């Protein structure tokens, strides 16, 4: 190889080596805020007031949302969504927010006889990562 070609090859090899980490970082994008430690983890608990209801009868879904970091108290207004599992897909039934003390309560009723599976979902916000409650089973008779 001629000395001028060797120098060109070295310059190109160095440029590729220096650009590779930048390209890899651009491909993955910035680290999510939760990884950077900015978002808090939370705990979401929920249960049904009645686990057996008649068609059209209301039952309440009660629960609480709590910051797991213990560094901040929940100021209220955090979004919570009651969802029903239908055909393998979670479908929103009702949406609201928790009170300043982190508690929430929803009324739900069903139009057909079935065994329904519900959960409460808190979508990711600027302060918290997304979280779901345990499953809630209700027999609609």
């Amino acid at each position: 190889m001629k000395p001028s070609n060797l120098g060109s090859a070295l310059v190109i090899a160095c440029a590729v080596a220096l650009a590779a980490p930048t390209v890899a970082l651009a491909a993955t994008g910035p680290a999510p805020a939760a990884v950077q430690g900015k978002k808090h983890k939370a705990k979401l608990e929920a249960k049904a007031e009645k686990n057996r209801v008649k068609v059209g009868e209301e039952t309440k879904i009660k629960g609480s949302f709590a910051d797991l970091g213990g560094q901040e108290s929940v100021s209220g207004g955090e979004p919570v969504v009651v969802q029903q599992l239908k055909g393998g897909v979670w479908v929103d039934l009702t949406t609201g927010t928790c009170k300043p003390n982190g508690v929430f309560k929803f009324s739900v009723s069903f139009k057909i006889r079935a065994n329904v599976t519900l959960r409460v979902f808190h979508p990711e916000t600027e302060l918290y990562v997304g979280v779901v409650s345990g499953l809630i089973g209700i027999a609609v008779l």
Side-chain angles (χ1 to χ4, degrees):
M1 208 177 217
K2 293 183 181 178
S4 63
N5 289 346
L6 181 60
S8 297
L10 283 173
V11 169
I12 292 171
C14 287
V16 168
L18 291 173
T22 305
V23 170
L25 182 60
T28 60
V35 172
Q36 296 172 0
K38 293 181 182 178
K39 294 197 179 198
H40 295 249
K41 290 184 179 179
K43 181 169 87 172
L44 189 59
E45 294 181 343
K47 64 181 183 176
E49 185 177 64
K50 299 178 187 177
N51 61 3
R52 295 172 65 98
V53 295
K54 294 180 181 178
V55 172
E57 179 183 2
E58 281 191 357
T59 188
K60 297 198 182 329
I61 305 298
K62 299 178 180 181
S64 63
F65 176 84
D67 187 302
L68 285 179
Q71 298 173 357
E72 289 190 29
S73 61
V74 177
S75 61
E78 288 297 321
V80 284
V81 181
V82 177
Q83 296 180 319
Q84 181 180 353
L85 186 61
K86 291 184 178 182
V89 177
W90 290 105
V91 178
D92 294 356
L93 289 182
T94 186
T95 302
T97 57
C98 62
K99 294 181 180 178
N101 61 0
V103 301
F104 56 84
K105 181 175 24 175
F106 294 97
S107 294
V108 294
S109 64
F110 305 93
K111 296 179 181 180
I112 60 170
R113 293 180 186 192
N115 289 318
V116 297
T117 302
L118 306 177
R119 72 177 186 182
V120 178
F121 168 66
H122 173 273
E124 184 171 336
T125 63
E126 288 185 22
L127 186 58
Y128 293 102
V129 295
V131 65
V132 296
S133 71
L135 300 179
I136 304 165
I138 299 177
V140 183
L141 309 171

